[in-house]
Structure formats: C-alpha cells, structure tokens
Amino acid sequence: MEIIKPGTKIDFIGRRQLAYVFSAILIFLSLASLIYHGGPKYGIDFSGGTVVQIKCMDDAAVSDIRKGLDAVGMGGATVQRFGAEAKNEYLIRTDQTLITGEGFSEEVRQAVADATGMDVVIERVEMVGPQVGEDLREKALMALFYALLFITIYISGRFELKWVLSAVMAAVLIGAVYLFSLFNVSIPLLIVVALVVALIMFWQLRLKFAMGAIVALMHDVFITMGIFSVFDIEFSLPIVAALLTIIGYSLNDTIVVFDRIRENIKKYARKPLETVINQSVNETLSRTIMTSFTTLIVLICLFILGGAIIHDFALAMIVGVVVGTYSSVYVSSPVLLWLQEAPGKGAAEAMGQAG
C-alpha cells in the first residue's frame, strides 16, 4: 500500500519559515507555562508525600471525604476523582510524609466511611520521603541529559566519522557537570548550561548532523514538557520513561531522514543542498507517515482503554510521536542548511565533503 506516491515533491524546506514560527509559538507557550507554574508539577515520585487511592461504594461528595480526612490529621490533603466517574474512585494527596502502615490504612478507611456514610475500600497507599523525591528528580534529569549527550556521539560517528572528536567533547561536558555538581550547583540549572555549551561546541566544531539531531530532540522534549505544564499534568517516573522513549523514537525517525540525505549528497553532489534535503525528506515520507500512524493507533488505544494509571504515559507518548515526526522534517533537516559551509554551492561542497 502506497500512501505517498513515488516522485512526490512537496516543498517542505521551502516552507520551513512557517515551521519556525509554529515551533517558536509552541516553545514560547511552553516556557511561559513553566514560568507561570514555577516549573513542572512534580508528582509524589519527585516531590515526596503520601498518596491514598480509595473506592467508595457510591458517589461521594469531595467535601465529605475532606471532613473524614480532617479527623485523621490530613486536613490539608487534596482530593480529586480518579479514573472513570462511574467507578467512584478518589485520589488523596498530601505533602506530608506519613507513616503508612496497616493501622494508617484502616484509620483513613474508617474515617472516610464515617464521613460519607458508605463502605470505602483502600486500593493503594504510596509514600515517598522528600529526600528520596529530590534524588529521583535529579537522577531523572541526569538520565535525560546523558541520553541526549551520548546520542550526539553516535550521530557524529555514524554520519561524519568524528567518533574521537565527539567522544572527547562528551567527556569534557560530563567532567564539567560532575565537577560543578560537587559544589551543590542546582541540577536543572547545571544541565541547562551544559546543553547550551554543548550546542555552542557543536556549532564551532561543525558537527552538523549531531547539531540537527540534538536541536530536534531538545525541541521535542521541551514542547512535551510544556504541554504537560499547560494542562497541569503531574510529572512522575512513568513520564520520564515516556520522555526517554520519545527521544529514542524521534532519533530513529531523524536517522532515517539523515541517512537518505547522506546518500543523496553523494548521488547528487552538484545539486543545491536545499534541493537534496527536500528530495530526501520526500523519499522517506511514506515510511515516516506509516511508522507514526501505526504507533499512534496503539498509543490512542492505550490512552482510551489502558486505565487511569497509564493514561498520562500514553498522553506523553502521543504528544511526543506527533512532535517528533514533525521535528524530523522541519527541525533537524533545516539545521543542516544553517551549518552548510558553502552556501549556493553543490550539496557535497556545502557539507564540506568531496564532490
């Protein structure tokens, strides 16, 4: 089945200015939302606290549940419905790290049952200490940083045969991050600075393909985080797993496009680089659309039928696949045009390769 016919010539690169505006709007909204909310809304995994999930035998008023919680010293807890409304499940969250033994569960169950006048079942209780939450948050950020960094080593070696140069640069960045972490520098600030320095080094060292890949991946992760911030959805360990998966998925799509660009640069060495990139994107378009479409079918089914526990993970993946597919065409490839060494020349010469 051919969705995109051979010989299709859609001018993606010619419309890249519109894509820049669209991406800039998404990034601005993401940044504005993150600033407004004071950063991501961390779940219990990262912020610490206690979560209790209960199930009532009938529809219960949130105010009645709060009255029951007041009786057991959880008056500051937030209460919200969880999952389908017909299931009568509620999620209770508090910043307090409570002792959650068997006696605690029974005490909460009895207090809520008395306040609502109906049977109540405690379905789960989770407790994470504040120090553990902070450690998990820092490790999650470091995982994202190192994933992006090691990807650039692979891209530089795979497409530009600059294994040693990219490895040395990565080693310097890792050493700098480790050194500054010893002085208790904020991990989020440290990683932001390291990524900015990495981008500058890619630019100076003319690591073109690595630059295109890392810009696209940062674009995908940041916009996904921004959308979660806009809709006030919590960040938890499953969401970090989703972000790492998005990085892998987007990279795979980008590599397919880059591989075709590299082949066509050799094949059409005298054609303008813009023409070669546009042709390469069109030649891989059918594969890109089919892969993304089939992935989205699975994720949408997971989002609708997977239940509340996996709901946010599936949402993050859906956003990431859509944004990642878009960035493979409109973000990673145009970066090669920014970094061409001889604008107006043939593709091979523009990319610093033998024509």
Side-chain angles (χ1 to χ4, degrees), residues 121-198:
V121 176
I122 302 292
E123 298 203 323
R124 69 180 169 111
V125 177
E126 295 179 7
M127 185 277 289
V128 176
Q131 184 60 49
V132 173
E134 184 179 353
D135 290 343
L136 287 174
R137 185 167 66 244
E138 292 180 356
K139 288 178 180 178
L141 289 170
M142 295 302 287
L144 290 171
F145 171 71
Y146 285 126
L148 292 172
L149 192 59
F150 287 122
I151 281 169
T152 61
I153 298 177
Y154 170 76
I155 293 290
S156 298
R158 175 75 170 77
F159 292 99
E160 300 175 279
L161 301 179
K162 296 179 179 179
W163 290 101
V164 175
L165 182 62
S166 58
V168 169
M169 189 196 72
V172 171
L173 283 173
I174 292 172
V177 168
Y178 175 75
L179 180 63
F180 280 102
S181 67
L182 296 178
F183 294 95
N184 295 321
V185 177
S186 167
I187 294 296
L189 177 62
L190 181 61
I191 291 176
V192 169
V193 172
L195 287 174
V196 170
V197 171

Coordinates of all heavy atoms in Angstrom, one line a residue, residues 121-198:
V121 N -13.1 1.3 50.3 CA -12.0 0.4 50.1 C -10.7 1.2 49.8 O -10.7 2.1 49.0 CB -12.3 -0.6 49.0 CG1 -11.1 -1.5 48.7 CG2 -13.6 -1.4 49.3
I122 N -9.7 0.9 50.5 CA -8.4 1.5 50.3 C -7.7 0.7 49.2 O -7.4 -0.5 49.4 CB -7.5 1.5 51.5 CG1 -8.1 2.3 52.7 CG2 -6.1 2.1 51.2 CD1 -8.3 3.8 52.4
E123 N -7.5 1.2 48.0 CA -6.9 0.5 46.9 C -5.4 0.6 46.8 O -4.8 -0.4 46.4 CB -7.5 1.0 45.6 CG -9.1 0.8 45.5 CD -9.6 0.8 44.1 OE1 -9.0 1.5 43.3 OE2 -10.5 0.0 43.8
R124 N -4.8 1.7 47.2 CA -3.4 1.7 47.3 C -3.0 2.9 48.2 O -3.7 3.9 48.3 CB -2.7 1.9 45.9 CG -3.0 3.2 45.2 CD -2.3 3.2 43.8 NE -2.8 4.4 43.0 CZ -2.0 5.4 42.7 NH1 -0.8 5.5 43.1 NH2 -2.5 6.4 42.0
V125 N -1.8 2.8 48.7 CA -1.2 3.8 49.6 C 0.3 3.9 49.1 O 1.0 2.9 49.1 CB -1.3 3.5 51.1 CG1 -0.5 4.6 51.9 CG2 -2.7 3.4 51.5
E126 N 0.8 5.1 48.8 CA 2.2 5.3 48.4 C 2.7 6.4 49.2 O 2.1 7.4 49.5 CB 2.3 5.7 46.9 CG 1.8 4.5 46.0 CD 1.9 5.0 44.5 OE1 2.5 6.0 44.3 OE2 1.4 4.2 43.7
M127 N 4.0 6.2 49.7 CA 4.7 7.2 50.4 C 6.1 7.4 49.9 O 6.8 6.4 49.7 CB 4.7 6.9 51.9 CG 5.3 8.0 52.8 SD 7.1 7.9 53.0 CE 7.3 6.4 53.9
V128 N 6.5 8.6 49.7 CA 7.9 8.9 49.2 C 8.4 10.0 50.1 O 7.8 11.1 50.2 CB 8.0 9.3 47.7 CG1 9.4 9.6 47.4 CG2 7.5 8.1 46.9
G129 N 9.6 9.8 50.7 CA 10.2 10.9 51.5 C 10.7 12.0 50.7 O 11.0 11.8 49.5
P130 N 10.8 13.2 51.2 CA 11.2 14.4 50.4 C 12.6 14.2 49.9 O 12.9 14.6 48.8 CB 11.1 15.5 51.4 CG 11.1 14.9 52.8 CD 10.4 13.6 52.6
Q131 N 13.6 13.6 50.6 CA 14.9 13.4 50.2 C 15.0 12.4 49.0 O 15.7 12.6 48.0 CB 15.8 12.9 51.3 CG 17.3 12.8 50.9 CD 17.9 14.2 50.4 OE1 17.7 15.2 51.1 NE2 18.5 14.2 49.3
V132 N 14.2 11.4 49.1 CA 14.1 10.4 48.1 C 13.6 11.0 46.8 O 14.1 10.8 45.7 CB 13.2 9.2 48.5 CG1 13.0 8.2 47.3 CG2 13.9 8.4 49.6
G133 N 12.5 11.8 47.0 CA 11.9 12.5 45.8 C 12.9 13.4 45.1 O 13.0 13.5 43.9
E134 N 13.7 14.2 45.9 CA 14.7 15.1 45.3 C 15.8 14.3 44.6 O 16.2 14.7 43.5 CB 15.3 15.9 46.4 CG 16.3 16.9 45.9 CD 16.9 17.8 47.0 OE1 16.4 17.7 48.2 OE2 17.8 18.6 46.7
D135 N 16.2 13.2 45.2 CA 17.2 12.3 44.5 C 16.7 11.8 43.2 O 17.4 11.8 42.2 CB 17.6 11.2 45.4 CG 18.4 11.7 46.6 OD1 18.9 12.8 46.6 OD2 18.6 10.9 47.6
L136 N 15.4 11.3 43.2 CA 14.8 10.8 42.0 C 14.7 11.8 40.9 O 15.0 11.6 39.7 CB 13.5 10.2 42.3 CG 13.4 8.8 43.0 CD1 12.0 8.5 43.4 CD2 14.1 7.7 42.2
R137 N 14.4 13.1 41.3 CA 14.2 14.2 40.4 C 15.6 14.5 39.7 O 15.6 14.7 38.5 CB 13.7 15.4 41.1 CG 13.4 16.6 40.2 CD 12.6 17.6 40.9 NE 13.3 18.3 41.9 CZ 12.9 18.2 43.2 NH1 11.9 17.5 43.6 NH2 13.6 18.9 44.1
E138 N 16.6 14.5 40.5 CA 17.9 14.8 39.9 C 18.4 13.7 39.0 O 19.0 14.0 38.0 CB 18.9 15.0 41.1 CG 18.7 16.3 41.9 CD 19.6 16.5 43.0 OE1 20.5 15.6 43.2 OE2 19.6 17.5 43.7
K139 N 18.2 12.5 39.4 CA 18.6 11.3 38.6 C 17.8 11.3 37.3 O 18.4 10.9 36.2 CB 18.4 10.0 39.3 CG 19.5 9.9 40.5 CD 19.2 8.6 41.3 CE 20.3 8.4 42.4 NZ 20.1 7.2 43.2
A140 N 16.6 11.7 37.3 CA 15.8 11.7 36.1 C 16.3 12.8 35.1 O 16.4 12.5 33.9 CB 14.3 12.0 36.4
L141 N 16.6 13.9 35.6 CA 17.2 15.0 34.8 C 18.5 14.6 34.2 O 18.8 14.8 33.0 CB 17.4 16.3 35.6 CG 16.1 17.0 36.0 CD1 16.4 18.1 37.0 CD2 15.4 17.6 34.8
M142 N 19.4 13.9 35.0 CA 20.7 13.5 34.5 C 20.5 12.4 33.5 O 21.3 12.3 32.5 CB 21.5 12.9 35.7 CG 21.9 14.0 36.7 SD 22.8 15.4 36.0 CE 24.4 14.6 35.7
A143 N 19.5 11.5 33.6 CA 19.2 10.5 32.6 C 18.9 11.1 31.3 O 19.4 10.7 30.2 CB 18.1 9.6 33.1
L144 N 18.1 12.2 31.3 CA 17.7 12.8 30.1 C 18.9 13.5 29.4 O 19.1 13.4 28.2 CB 16.6 13.9 30.3 CG 15.2 13.4 30.7 CD1 14.3 14.5 31.1 CD2 14.6 12.6 29.5
F145 N 19.8 14.1 30.3 CA 20.9 14.8 29.8 C 21.9 13.8 29.1 O 22.4 14.1 28.0 CB 21.6 15.6 30.9 CG 23.0 16.1 30.6 CD1 23.1 17.2 29.7 CD2 24.1 15.5 31.1 CE1 24.3 17.7 29.4 CE2 25.4 16.0 30.8 CZ 25.5 17.1 29.9
Y146 N 22.2 12.7 29.8 CA 23.2 11.8 29.3 C 22.6 11.1 28.0 O 23.4 10.7 27.1 CB 23.6 10.8 30.3 CG 24.5 11.3 31.4 CD1 24.2 11.2 32.7 CD2 25.7 11.9 31.0 CE1 25.1 11.8 33.7 CE2 26.6 12.5 32.0 CZ 26.2 12.4 33.3 OH 27.1 12.9 34.2
A147 N 21.3 10.9 28.0 CA 20.7 10.3 26.8 C 21.0 11.2 25.6 O 21.4 10.7 24.5 CB 19.2 10.0 27.0
L148 N 20.7 12.5 25.8 CA 20.9 13.4 24.7 C 22.4 13.5 24.3 O 22.8 13.5 23.1 CB 20.5 14.8 25.1 CG 19.0 15.0 25.2 CD1 18.6 16.3 25.8 CD2 18.2 14.8 23.9
L149 N 23.3 13.4 25.3 CA 24.7 13.6 25.0 C 25.3 12.4 24.3 O 26.0 12.5 23.3 CB 25.5 13.8 26.4 CG 26.9 14.2 26.3 CD1 27.0 15.6 25.5 CD2 27.5 14.3 27.7
F150 N 25.0 11.2 24.7 CA 25.5 10.0 24.1 C 24.9 9.8 22.7 O 25.6 9.2 21.8 CB 25.3 8.8 24.9 CG 26.2 8.7 26.2 CD1 25.7 8.7 27.4 CD2 27.6 8.8 26.0 CE1 26.5 8.7 28.6 CE2 28.4 8.8 27.1 CZ 27.9 8.7 28.4
I151 N 23.7 10.3 22.5 CA 23.2 10.2 21.1 C 24.0 11.0 20.1 O 24.2 10.6 19.0 CB 21.7 10.7 21.2 CG1 20.8 9.6 21.7 CG2 21.2 11.2 19.8 CD1 19.4 10.1 22.0
T152 N 24.5 12.2 20.6 CA 25.3 13.0 19.7 C 26.6 12.3 19.3 O 27.1 12.5 18.2 CB 25.6 14.4 20.4 OG1 26.4 14.2 21.6 CG2 24.4 15.1 20.7
I153 N 27.2 11.5 20.2 CA 28.4 10.8 19.9 C 28.1 9.8 18.8 O 28.8 9.7 17.8 CB 28.9 10.0 21.1 CG1 29.3 11.0 22.2 CG2 30.1 9.1 20.7 CD1 29.7 10.3 23.5
Y154 N 26.9 9.1 18.9 CA 26.6 8.1 17.8 C 26.3 8.8 16.5 O 26.8 8.4 15.5 CB 25.3 7.4 18.3 CG 24.7 6.6 17.1 CD1 25.3 5.4 16.8 CD2 23.6 7.0 16.4 CE1 24.8 4.6 15.7 CE2 23.1 6.3 15.4 CZ 23.7 5.1 15.1 OH 23.2 4.3 14.0
I155 N 25.6 10.0 16.5 CA 25.3 10.7 15.3 C 26.5 11.2 14.6 O 26.7 11.0 13.4 CB 24.3 11.9 15.6 CG1 23.0 11.3 16.1 CG2 24.1 12.7 14.3 CD1 22.1 10.6 15.0
S156 N 27.4 11.8 15.4 CA 28.7 12.3 14.8 C 29.5 11.2 14.2 O 30.1 11.3 13.1 CB 29.5 13.1 15.9 OG 28.7 14.2 16.3
G157 N 29.6 10.1 14.9 CA 30.4 8.9 14.4 C 29.7 8.3 13.2 O 30.4 7.9 12.2
R158 N 28.4 8.1 13.3 CA 27.7 7.4 12.2 C 27.6 8.2 10.9 O 27.8 7.6 9.8 CB 26.2 7.2 12.7 CG 25.3 6.6 11.7 CD 25.5 5.1 11.6 NE 24.4 4.5 10.8 CZ 24.3 4.6 9.5 NH1 25.2 5.3 8.8 NH2 23.3 4.0 8.8
F159 N 27.5 9.5 11.0 CA 27.3 10.3 9.7 C 28.5 11.1 9.3 O 28.6 11.5 8.2 CB 26.1 11.2 9.9 CG 24.8 10.4 9.9 CD1 24.2 10.2 11.1 CD2 24.2 9.9 8.8 CE1 23.0 9.5 11.2 CE2 23.0 9.2 8.8 CZ 22.4 9.0 10.1
E160 N 29.4 11.4 10.3 CA 30.5 12.3 10.0 C 31.9 11.7 10.3 O 32.9 12.3 10.1 CB 30.3 13.6 10.7 CG 29.1 14.4 10.3 CD 28.8 15.7 11.1 OE1 28.3 15.6 12.2 OE2 29.1 16.7 10.5
L161 N 31.8 10.5 10.8 CA 33.1 9.7 11.2 C 34.0 10.5 12.2 O 35.2 10.5 12.1 CB 33.8 9.4 9.9 CG 33.1 8.5 8.9 CD1 33.9 8.2 7.7 CD2 32.6 7.2 9.5
K162 N 33.3 11.3 13.1 CA 34.1 12.1 14.0 C 33.9 11.5 15.4 O 33.5 12.2 16.4 CB 33.6 13.5 14.0 CG 33.9 14.2 12.6 CD 33.4 15.6 12.6 CE 33.7 16.3 11.3 NZ 33.2 17.7 11.2
W163 N 34.1 10.2 15.6 CA 34.0 9.5 16.8 C 34.8 10.1 17.9 O 34.3 10.4 19.0 CB 34.3 8.0 16.7 CG 33.3 7.2 15.8 CD1 33.5 6.9 14.5 CD2 32.1 6.7 16.3 NE1 32.4 6.1 14.1 CE2 31.5 6.0 15.1 CE3 31.3 6.8 17.4 CZ2 30.3 5.4 15.2 CZ3 30.1 6.1 17.5 CH2 29.6 5.5 16.4
V164 N 36.1 10.3 17.6 CA 37.0 10.8 18.6 C 36.7 12.2 19.1 O 36.6 12.5 20.3 CB 38.5 10.7 18.1 CG1 39.5 11.3 19.1 CG2 38.9 9.3 17.8
L165 N 36.4 13.1 18.1 CA 36.1 14.4 18.5 C 34.9 14.6 19.3 O 34.8 15.2 20.3 CB 35.9 15.2 17.2 CG 35.6 16.7 17.3 CD1 36.8 17.4 18.0 CD2 35.3 17.4 16.0
S166 N 33.8 13.8 18.9 CA 32.6 13.9 19.7 C 32.7 13.2 21.1 O 32.1 13.7 22.1 CB 31.4 13.2 18.9 OG 31.7 11.9 18.6
A167 N 33.5 12.2 21.1 CA 33.7 11.5 22.4 C 34.5 12.4 23.4 O 34.2 12.4 24.6 CB 34.5 10.2 22.2
V168 N 35.5 13.1 22.9 CA 36.3 14.0 23.7 C 35.4 15.1 24.2 O 35.4 15.5 25.4 CB 37.5 14.6 22.9 CG1 38.1 15.7 23.7 CG2 38.5 13.5 22.6
M169 N 34.6 15.7 23.4 CA 33.7 16.7 23.8 C 32.7 16.3 24.8 O 32.4 16.9 25.8 CB 32.9 17.2 22.5 CG 32.1 18.5 22.8 SD 30.8 18.8 21.6 CE 29.7 17.5 22.0
A170 N 32.2 15.0 24.6 CA 31.2 14.5 25.6 C 31.9 14.3 27.0 O 31.4 14.5 28.0 CB 30.7 13.1 25.1
A171 N 33.2 13.8 26.9 CA 33.9 13.5 28.2 C 34.2 14.9 28.9 O 34.1 14.9 30.1 CB 35.3 12.9 27.8
V172 N 34.5 15.9 28.2 CA 34.7 17.2 28.8 C 33.4 17.7 29.5 O 33.4 18.2 30.6 CB 35.2 18.3 27.7 CG1 35.1 19.7 28.3 CG2 36.5 17.9 27.2
L173 N 32.2 17.6 28.8 CA 31.0 18.0 29.3 C 30.6 17.2 30.6 O 30.1 17.7 31.6 CB 29.9 17.9 28.3 CG 29.8 19.0 27.2 CD1 28.8 18.7 26.1 CD2 29.5 20.3 27.8
I174 N 30.8 15.9 30.5 CA 30.5 15.0 31.6 C 31.4 15.4 32.8 O 30.9 15.5 34.0 CB 30.7 13.5 31.3 CG1 29.6 13.1 30.3 CG2 30.6 12.7 32.5 CD1 29.8 11.7 29.7
G175 N 32.7 15.6 32.6 CA 33.6 16.0 33.6 C 33.2 17.4 34.3 O 33.2 17.5 35.5
A176 N 32.7 18.3 33.4 CA 32.3 19.6 33.9 C 31.1 19.5 34.7 O 31.0 20.1 35.8 CB 32.1 20.6 32.7
V177 N 30.1 18.7 34.3 CA 28.9 18.5 35.0 C 29.2 17.9 36.4 O 28.6 18.3 37.4 CB 27.9 17.6 34.2 CG1 26.7 17.2 35.1 CG2 27.4 18.4 33.0
Y178 N 30.0 16.9 36.4 CA 30.4 16.2 37.7 C 31.1 17.2 38.6 O 30.8 17.2 39.8 CB 31.3 15.0 37.4 CG 31.8 14.3 38.6 CD1 30.9 13.5 39.4 CD2 33.1 14.5 39.1 CE1 31.4 12.9 40.6 CE2 33.5 13.9 40.2 CZ 32.7 13.1 41.0 OH 33.1 12.5 42.1
L179 N 32.0 18.0 38.0 CA 32.8 18.9 38.9 C 31.9 19.9 39.5 O 32.0 20.2 40.7 CB 33.8 19.6 38.0 CG 34.7 20.6 38.7 CD1 35.6 19.9 39.8 CD2 35.7 21.3 37.7
F180 N 31.0 20.5 38.7 CA 30.1 21.6 39.3 C 29.1 21.0 40.3 O 28.6 21.7 41.2 CB 29.4 22.3 38.2 CG 30.2 23.4 37.5 CD1 30.8 23.1 36.3 CD2 30.4 24.6 38.1 CE1 31.6 24.1 35.7 CE2 31.2 25.5 37.5 CZ 31.8 25.3 36.3
S181 N 28.7 19.7 40.0 CA 27.8 19.1 41.0 C 28.4 18.9 42.4 O 27.6 18.9 43.4 CB 27.3 17.7 40.4 OG 28.4 16.8 40.4
L182 N 29.7 18.9 42.5 CA 30.3 18.8 43.8 C 30.2 20.0 44.6 O 30.3 20.0 45.8 CB 31.8 18.5 43.6 CG 32.2 17.1 42.9 CD1 33.7 17.0 42.8 CD2 31.6 15.9 43.7
F183 N 29.9 21.1 43.9 CA 29.7 22.4 44.6 C 28.3 22.8 44.8 O 27.9 23.9 45.0 CB 30.4 23.5 43.7 CG 31.9 23.4 43.6 CD1 32.5 22.8 42.5 CD2 32.7 23.9 44.6 CE1 33.8 22.7 42.4 CE2 34.1 23.8 44.6 CZ 34.7 23.1 43.4
N184 N 27.4 21.7 44.8 CA 26.0 21.8 45.0 C 25.3 22.8 44.1 O 24.4 23.5 44.6 CB 25.8 22.3 46.5 CG 26.2 21.2 47.5 OD1 26.0 20.0 47.2 ND2 26.8 21.6 48.6
V185 N 25.7 22.9 42.9 CA 25.0 23.7 41.9 C 23.7 23.1 41.6 O 23.6 21.8 41.4 CB 25.9 23.9 40.6 CG1 25.1 24.7 39.6 CG2 27.2 24.6 41.0
S186 N 22.6 23.8 41.4 CA 21.3 23.3 41.1 C 21.4 22.4 39.8 O 21.9 22.8 38.8 CB 20.3 24.4 40.9 OG 19.1 24.0 40.3
I187 N 20.9 21.2 39.9 CA 21.0 20.2 38.8 C 20.3 20.7 37.6 O 20.8 20.7 36.5 CB 20.4 18.8 39.2 CG1 21.3 18.2 40.3 CG2 20.4 17.9 38.0 CD1 22.7 17.9 39.8
P188 N 19.0 21.3 37.7 CA 18.4 21.8 36.5 C 19.2 22.9 35.8 O 19.3 22.9 34.6 CB 17.0 22.3 37.0 CG 16.8 21.5 38.3 CD 18.1 21.3 38.9
L189 N 19.7 23.8 36.6 CA 20.5 24.9 36.0 C 21.8 24.4 35.4 O 22.2 24.8 34.3 CB 20.8 25.9 37.1 CG 21.7 27.1 36.7 CD1 21.1 27.9 35.7 CD2 22.1 27.9 37.9
L190 N 22.4 23.4 36.1 CA 23.6 22.8 35.6 C 23.4 22.2 34.2 O 24.2 22.3 33.3 CB 24.1 21.8 36.6 CG 25.4 21.1 36.2 CD1 26.6 22.1 36.1 CD2 25.8 20.1 37.3
I191 N 22.3 21.4 34.1 CA 22.0 20.7 32.8 C 21.7 21.7 31.7 O 22.1 21.5 30.6 CB 20.9 19.7 33.0 CG1 21.4 18.6 33.9 CG2 20.4 19.2 31.7 CD1 20.3 17.6 34.3
V192 N 20.9 22.8 32.0 CA 20.6 23.8 31.0 C 21.9 24.4 30.5 O 22.1 24.6 29.3 CB 19.7 24.9 31.6 CG1 19.5 26.0 30.7 CG2 18.3 24.3 31.9
V193 N 22.8 24.8 31.4 CA 24.0 25.4 31.0 C 24.9 24.4 30.1 O 25.4 24.8 29.1 CB 24.8 25.9 32.2 CG1 26.2 26.3 31.8 CG2 24.1 27.0 32.9
A194 N 24.9 23.2 30.6 CA 25.7 22.2 29.8 C 25.1 22.0 28.4 O 25.9 21.8 27.5 CB 25.7 20.8 30.6
L195 N 23.8 22.0 28.3 CA 23.2 21.8 26.9 C 23.5 23.0 26.1 O 23.8 22.8 24.9 CB 21.7 21.6 27.1 CG 21.3 20.2 27.6 CD1 19.8 20.1 27.8 CD2 21.7 19.1 26.7
V196 N 23.5 24.2 26.6 CA 23.8 25.4 25.9 C 25.2 25.4 25.4 O 25.5 25.6 24.2 CB 23.5 26.7 26.7 CG1 24.0 27.9 26.0 CG2 22.0 26.8 26.9
V197 N 26.1 25.0 26.3 CA 27.6 24.9 26.0 C 27.7 23.8 24.9 O 28.5 24.0 23.9 CB 28.4 24.5 27.2 CG1 29.8 24.2 26.8 CG2 28.4 25.7 28.2
A198 N 27.0 22.7 25.0 CA 27.1 21.6 24.0 C 26.7 22.1 22.6 O 27.4 21.8 21.6 CB 26.3 20.4 24.4

